[in-house]
Amino acid sequence: MVCNLGVMLDSDGMITGQISSMCSVALYGLLRLGRIRELLDQSTAEKLLQAFVTSRLDFGKSFICHSDAVLKKLQSIQNSAAHVVTRTRSRDHITPVLRDLHWLPVA
């Protein structure tokens, strides 16, 4: 694995290690936000989510070559973030929640 300008490339020249690392940091930020979510109002939760989670997702989406597995992982994190911010249950359908938040799908 080689790191150049802050981007980790594996032996095949892919960035899967970078995406995995970014996803774990985003999930950790989402977990921390979920723990204090009941103490926050909607706009504050959205701002914290933007700072700790969505910015990392945007960084992950900025790379050109993605496999379906990577896009699915990024979409899953975005869906979980939407559930945390809106306090909806994880089994509720996500499309109306994303539409209300004005969030575009990852792909």
Side-chain angles (χ1 to χ4, degrees), residues 4-21:
N4 188 12
L5 297 173
V7 176
M8 294 182 290
L9 299 171
D10 60 7
S11 60
D12 298 329
M14 299 298 289
I15 54 166
T16 54
Q18 178 76 28
I19 296 291
S20 295
S21 173

mmCIF file with all atom_site columns, all heavy atoms in Angstrom, residues 4-21:
data_model
loop_
_atom_site.group_PDB
_atom_site.id
_atom_site.type_symbol
_atom_site.label_atom_id
_atom_site.label_alt_id
_atom_site.label_comp_id
_atom_site.label_asym_id
_atom_site.label_entity_id
_atom_site.label_seq_id
_atom_site.pdbx_PDB_ins_code
_atom_site.Cartn_x
_atom_site.Cartn_y
_atom_site.Cartn_z
_atom_site.occupancy
_atom_site.B_iso_or_equiv
_atom_site.pdbx_formal_charge
_atom_site.auth_seq_id
_atom_site.auth_comp_id
_atom_site.auth_asym_id
_atom_site.auth_atom_id
_atom_site.pdbx_PDB_model_num
ATOM 1   N N   . ASN A 1 4  ? 0.040   8.663  -1.400 1.00 0.00 ? 4  ASN A N   1
ATOM 2   C CA  . ASN A 1 4  ? 0.518   9.784  -2.180 1.00 0.00 ? 4  ASN A CA  1
ATOM 3   C C   . ASN A 1 4  ? -0.502  10.910 -2.079 1.00 0.00 ? 4  ASN A C   1
ATOM 4   O O   . ASN A 1 4  ? -1.659  10.730 -2.451 1.00 0.00 ? 4  ASN A O   1
ATOM 5   C CB  . ASN A 1 4  ? 0.736   9.373  -3.636 1.00 0.00 ? 4  ASN A CB  1
ATOM 6   C CG  . ASN A 1 4  ? 1.420   10.452 -4.433 1.00 0.00 ? 4  ASN A CG  1
ATOM 7   O OD1 . ASN A 1 4  ? 1.925   11.420 -3.879 1.00 0.00 ? 4  ASN A OD1 1
ATOM 8   N ND2 . ASN A 1 4  ? 1.446   10.287 -5.740 1.00 0.00 ? 4  ASN A ND2 1
ATOM 9   N N   . LEU A 1 5  ? -0.086  12.048 -1.587 1.00 0.00 ? 5  LEU A N   1
ATOM 10  C CA  . LEU A 1 5  ? -0.954  13.206 -1.401 1.00 0.00 ? 5  LEU A CA  1
ATOM 11  C C   . LEU A 1 5  ? -2.182  12.878 -0.551 1.00 0.00 ? 5  LEU A C   1
ATOM 12  O O   . LEU A 1 5  ? -3.278  13.375 -0.783 1.00 0.00 ? 5  LEU A O   1
ATOM 13  C CB  . LEU A 1 5  ? -1.397  13.782 -2.750 1.00 0.00 ? 5  LEU A CB  1
ATOM 14  C CG  . LEU A 1 5  ? -0.283  14.319 -3.640 1.00 0.00 ? 5  LEU A CG  1
ATOM 15  C CD1 . LEU A 1 5  ? -0.844  14.706 -5.000 1.00 0.00 ? 5  LEU A CD1 1
ATOM 16  C CD2 . LEU A 1 5  ? 0.415   15.485 -2.991 1.00 0.00 ? 5  LEU A CD2 1
ATOM 17  N N   . GLY A 1 6  ? -2.001  11.991 0.431  1.00 0.00 ? 6  GLY A N   1
ATOM 18  C CA  . GLY A 1 6  ? -3.084  11.647 1.333  1.00 0.00 ? 6  GLY A CA  1
ATOM 19  C C   . GLY A 1 6  ? -4.031  10.590 0.822  1.00 0.00 ? 6  GLY A C   1
ATOM 20  O O   . GLY A 1 6  ? -5.003  10.254 1.481  1.00 0.00 ? 6  GLY A O   1
ATOM 21  N N   . VAL A 1 7  ? -3.776  10.028 -0.355 1.00 0.00 ? 7  VAL A N   1
ATOM 22  C CA  . VAL A 1 7  ? -4.632  8.981  -0.923 1.00 0.00 ? 7  VAL A CA  1
ATOM 23  C C   . VAL A 1 7  ? -3.864  7.666  -0.889 1.00 0.00 ? 7  VAL A C   1
ATOM 24  O O   . VAL A 1 7  ? -2.739  7.586  -1.366 1.00 0.00 ? 7  VAL A O   1
ATOM 25  C CB  . VAL A 1 7  ? -5.039  9.321  -2.375 1.00 0.00 ? 7  VAL A CB  1
ATOM 26  C CG1 . VAL A 1 7  ? -5.848  8.192  -2.973 1.00 0.00 ? 7  VAL A CG1 1
ATOM 27  C CG2 . VAL A 1 7  ? -5.808  10.614 -2.411 1.00 0.00 ? 7  VAL A CG2 1
ATOM 28  N N   . MET A 1 8  ? -4.490  6.636  -0.303 1.00 0.00 ? 8  MET A N   1
ATOM 29  C CA  . MET A 1 8  ? -3.856  5.331  -0.196 1.00 0.00 ? 8  MET A CA  1
ATOM 30  C C   . MET A 1 8  ? -4.215  4.480  -1.410 1.00 0.00 ? 8  MET A C   1
ATOM 31  O O   . MET A 1 8  ? -5.388  4.294  -1.720 1.00 0.00 ? 8  MET A O   1
ATOM 32  C CB  . MET A 1 8  ? -4.307  4.620  1.075  1.00 0.00 ? 8  MET A CB  1
ATOM 33  C CG  . MET A 1 8  ? -3.843  5.302  2.335  1.00 0.00 ? 8  MET A CG  1
ATOM 34  S SD  . MET A 1 8  ? -4.329  4.426  3.827  1.00 0.00 ? 8  MET A SD  1
ATOM 35  C CE  . MET A 1 8  ? -6.094  4.681  3.838  1.00 0.00 ? 8  MET A CE  1
ATOM 36  N N   . LEU A 1 9  ? -3.198  3.993  -2.105 1.00 0.00 ? 9  LEU A N   1
ATOM 37  C CA  . LEU A 1 9  ? -3.389  3.119  -3.260 1.00 0.00 ? 9  LEU A CA  1
ATOM 38  C C   . LEU A 1 9  ? -2.849  1.742  -2.917 1.00 0.00 ? 9  LEU A C   1
ATOM 39  O O   . LEU A 1 9  ? -1.773  1.615  -2.339 1.00 0.00 ? 9  LEU A O   1
ATOM 40  C CB  . LEU A 1 9  ? -2.644  3.665  -4.485 1.00 0.00 ? 9  LEU A CB  1
ATOM 41  C CG  . LEU A 1 9  ? -3.057  5.035  -4.997 1.00 0.00 ? 9  LEU A CG  1
ATOM 42  C CD1 . LEU A 1 9  ? -2.088  5.512  -6.063 1.00 0.00 ? 9  LEU A CD1 1
ATOM 43  C CD2 . LEU A 1 9  ? -4.465  4.983  -5.534 1.00 0.00 ? 9  LEU A CD2 1
ATOM 44  N N   . ASP A 1 10 ? -3.586  0.683  -3.300 1.00 0.00 ? 10 ASP A N   1
ATOM 45  C CA  . ASP A 1 10 ? -3.077  -0.664 -3.082 1.00 0.00 ? 10 ASP A CA  1
ATOM 46  C C   . ASP A 1 10 ? -2.234  -1.107 -4.278 1.00 0.00 ? 10 ASP A C   1
ATOM 47  O O   . ASP A 1 10 ? -1.971  -0.318 -5.184 1.00 0.00 ? 10 ASP A O   1
ATOM 48  C CB  . ASP A 1 10 ? -4.209  -1.646 -2.773 1.00 0.00 ? 10 ASP A CB  1
ATOM 49  C CG  . ASP A 1 10 ? -5.231  -1.758 -3.890 1.00 0.00 ? 10 ASP A CG  1
ATOM 50  O OD1 . ASP A 1 10 ? -4.996  -1.178 -4.955 1.00 0.00 ? 10 ASP A OD1 1
ATOM 51  O OD2 . ASP A 1 10 ? -6.255  -2.420 -3.674 1.00 0.00 ? 10 ASP A OD2 1
ATOM 52  N N   . SER A 1 11 ? -1.832  -2.361 -4.293 1.00 0.00 ? 11 SER A N   1
ATOM 53  C CA  . SER A 1 11 ? -0.916  -2.835 -5.341 1.00 0.00 ? 11 SER A CA  1
ATOM 54  C C   . SER A 1 11 ? -1.545  -2.806 -6.731 1.00 0.00 ? 11 SER A C   1
ATOM 55  O O   . SER A 1 11 ? -0.836  -2.758 -7.726 1.00 0.00 ? 11 SER A O   1
ATOM 56  C CB  . SER A 1 11 ? -0.446  -4.249 -5.018 1.00 0.00 ? 11 SER A CB  1
ATOM 57  O OG  . SER A 1 11 ? -1.564  -5.121 -4.945 1.00 0.00 ? 11 SER A OG  1
ATOM 58  N N   . ASP A 1 12 ? -2.874  -2.835 -6.825 1.00 0.00 ? 12 ASP A N   1
ATOM 59  C CA  . ASP A 1 12 ? -3.544  -2.779 -8.118 1.00 0.00 ? 12 ASP A CA  1
ATOM 60  C C   . ASP A 1 12 ? -3.833  -1.352 -8.570 1.00 0.00 ? 12 ASP A C   1
ATOM 61  O O   . ASP A 1 12 ? -4.446  -1.145 -9.610 1.00 0.00 ? 12 ASP A O   1
ATOM 62  C CB  . ASP A 1 12 ? -4.870  -3.552 -8.065 1.00 0.00 ? 12 ASP A CB  1
ATOM 63  C CG  . ASP A 1 12 ? -4.661  -5.021 -7.772 1.00 0.00 ? 12 ASP A CG  1
ATOM 64  O OD1 . ASP A 1 12 ? -3.598  -5.546 -8.174 1.00 0.00 ? 12 ASP A OD1 1
ATOM 65  O OD2 . ASP A 1 12 ? -5.536  -5.630 -7.144 1.00 0.00 ? 12 ASP A OD2 1
ATOM 66  N N   . GLY A 1 13 ? -3.431  -0.369 -7.787 1.00 0.00 ? 13 GLY A N   1
ATOM 67  C CA  . GLY A 1 13 ? -3.707  1.016  -8.135 1.00 0.00 ? 13 GLY A CA  1
ATOM 68  C C   . GLY A 1 13 ? -5.116  1.449  -7.779 1.00 0.00 ? 13 GLY A C   1
ATOM 69  O O   . GLY A 1 13 ? -5.594  2.475  -8.246 1.00 0.00 ? 13 GLY A O   1
ATOM 70  N N   . MET A 1 14 ? -5.789  0.664  -6.968 1.00 0.00 ? 14 MET A N   1
ATOM 71  C CA  . MET A 1 14 ? -7.158  0.986  -6.571 1.00 0.00 ? 14 MET A CA  1
ATOM 72  C C   . MET A 1 14 ? -7.143  1.709  -5.216 1.00 0.00 ? 14 MET A C   1
ATOM 73  O O   . MET A 1 14 ? -6.163  1.682  -4.500 1.00 0.00 ? 14 MET A O   1
ATOM 74  C CB  . MET A 1 14 ? -8.001  -0.293 -6.464 1.00 0.00 ? 14 MET A CB  1
ATOM 75  C CG  . MET A 1 14 ? -8.109  -1.045 -7.775 1.00 0.00 ? 14 MET A CG  1
ATOM 76  S SD  . MET A 1 14 ? -8.914  -0.103 -9.067 1.00 0.00 ? 14 MET A SD  1
ATOM 77  C CE  . MET A 1 14 ? -10.570 -0.122 -8.467 1.00 0.00 ? 14 MET A CE  1
ATOM 78  N N   . ILE A 1 15 ? -8.246  2.316  -4.888 1.00 0.00 ? 15 ILE A N   1
ATOM 79  C CA  . ILE A 1 15 ? -8.344  3.102  -3.659 1.00 0.00 ? 15 ILE A CA  1
ATOM 80  C C   . ILE A 1 15 ? -9.280  2.458  -2.651 1.00 0.00 ? 15 ILE A C   1
ATOM 81  O O   . ILE A 1 15 ? -9.857  3.123  -1.814 1.00 0.00 ? 15 ILE A O   1
ATOM 82  C CB  . ILE A 1 15 ? -8.832  4.523  -3.984 1.00 0.00 ? 15 ILE A CB  1
ATOM 83  C CG1 . ILE A 1 15 ? -10.131 4.453  -4.772 1.00 0.00 ? 15 ILE A CG1 1
ATOM 84  C CG2 . ILE A 1 15 ? -7.785  5.327  -4.699 1.00 0.00 ? 15 ILE A CG2 1
ATOM 85  C CD1 . ILE A 1 15 ? -10.851 5.765  -4.845 1.00 0.00 ? 15 ILE A CD1 1
ATOM 86  N N   . THR A 1 16 ? -9.405  1.135  -2.701 1.00 0.00 ? 16 THR A N   1
ATOM 87  C CA  . THR A 1 16 ? -10.341 0.456  -1.796 1.00 0.00 ? 16 THR A CA  1
ATOM 88  C C   . THR A 1 16 ? -9.950  0.647  -0.343 1.00 0.00 ? 16 THR A C   1
ATOM 89  O O   . THR A 1 16 ? -10.815 0.758  0.522  1.00 0.00 ? 16 THR A O   1
ATOM 90  C CB  . THR A 1 16 ? -10.429 -1.039 -2.137 1.00 0.00 ? 16 THR A CB  1
ATOM 91  O OG1 . THR A 1 16 ? -9.116  -1.592 -2.140 1.00 0.00 ? 16 THR A OG1 1
ATOM 92  C CG2 . THR A 1 16 ? -11.077 -1.253 -3.486 1.00 0.00 ? 16 THR A CG2 1
ATOM 93  N N   . GLY A 1 17 ? -8.669  0.679  -0.044 1.00 0.00 ? 17 GLY A N   1
ATOM 94  C CA  . GLY A 1 17 ? -8.218  0.925  1.330  1.00 0.00 ? 17 GLY A CA  1
ATOM 95  C C   . GLY A 1 17 ? -8.608  2.310  1.797  1.00 0.00 ? 17 GLY A C   1
ATOM 96  O O   . GLY A 1 17 ? -9.025  2.505  2.945  1.00 0.00 ? 17 GLY A O   1
ATOM 97  N N   . GLN A 1 18 ? -8.491  3.278  0.922  1.00 0.00 ? 18 GLN A N   1
ATOM 98  C CA  . GLN A 1 18 ? -8.876  4.659  1.246  1.00 0.00 ? 18 GLN A CA  1
ATOM 99  C C   . GLN A 1 18 ? -10.375 4.742  1.517  1.00 0.00 ? 18 GLN A C   1
ATOM 100 O O   . GLN A 1 18 ? -10.811 5.371  2.469  1.00 0.00 ? 18 GLN A O   1
ATOM 101 C CB  . GLN A 1 18 ? -8.501  5.582  0.092  1.00 0.00 ? 18 GLN A CB  1
ATOM 102 C CG  . GLN A 1 18 ? -8.894  7.023  0.284  1.00 0.00 ? 18 GLN A CG  1
ATOM 103 C CD  . GLN A 1 18 ? -7.984  7.742  1.245  1.00 0.00 ? 18 GLN A CD  1
ATOM 104 O OE1 . GLN A 1 18 ? -6.823  7.393  1.376  1.00 0.00 ? 18 GLN A OE1 1
ATOM 105 N NE2 . GLN A 1 18 ? -8.492  8.743  1.918  1.00 0.00 ? 18 GLN A NE2 1
ATOM 106 N N   . ILE A 1 19 ? -11.174 4.106  0.682  1.00 0.00 ? 19 ILE A N   1
ATOM 107 C CA  . ILE A 1 19 ? -12.629 4.137  0.853  1.00 0.00 ? 19 ILE A CA  1
ATOM 108 C C   . ILE A 1 19 ? -13.029 3.433  2.140  1.00 0.00 ? 19 ILE A C   1
ATOM 109 O O   . ILE A 1 19 ? -13.880 3.919  2.893  1.00 0.00 ? 19 ILE A O   1
ATOM 110 C CB  . ILE A 1 19 ? -13.335 3.500  -0.367 1.00 0.00 ? 19 ILE A CB  1
ATOM 111 C CG1 . ILE A 1 19 ? -13.054 4.319  -1.625 1.00 0.00 ? 19 ILE A CG1 1
ATOM 112 C CG2 . ILE A 1 19 ? -14.814 3.363  -0.138 1.00 0.00 ? 19 ILE A CG2 1
ATOM 113 C CD1 . ILE A 1 19 ? -13.703 5.675  -1.660 1.00 0.00 ? 19 ILE A CD1 1
ATOM 114 N N   . SER A 1 20 ? -12.414 2.294  2.433  1.00 0.00 ? 20 SER A N   1
ATOM 115 C CA  . SER A 1 20 ? -12.738 1.566  3.664  1.00 0.00 ? 20 SER A CA  1
ATOM 116 C C   . SER A 1 20 ? -12.381 2.382  4.896  1.00 0.00 ? 20 SER A C   1
ATOM 117 O O   . SER A 1 20 ? -13.147 2.439  5.861  1.00 0.00 ? 20 SER A O   1
ATOM 118 C CB  . SER A 1 20 ? -11.997 0.231  3.703  1.00 0.00 ? 20 SER A CB  1
ATOM 119 O OG  . SER A 1 20 ? -12.441 -0.595 2.681  1.00 0.00 ? 20 SER A OG  1
ATOM 120 N N   . SER A 1 21 ? -11.240 3.025  4.866  1.00 0.00 ? 21 SER A N   1
ATOM 121 C CA  . SER A 1 21 ? -10.834 3.873  5.983  1.00 0.00 ? 21 SER A CA  1
ATOM 122 C C   . SER A 1 21 ? -11.782 5.051  6.155  1.00 0.00 ? 21 SER A C   1
ATOM 123 O O   . SER A 1 21 ? -12.199 5.383  7.275  1.00 0.00 ? 21 SER A O   1
ATOM 124 C CB  . SER A 1 21 ? -9.411  4.378  5.748  1.00 0.00 ? 21 SER A CB  1
ATOM 125 O OG  . SER A 1 21 ? -9.044  5.317  6.724  1.00 0.00 ? 21 SER A OG  1
#
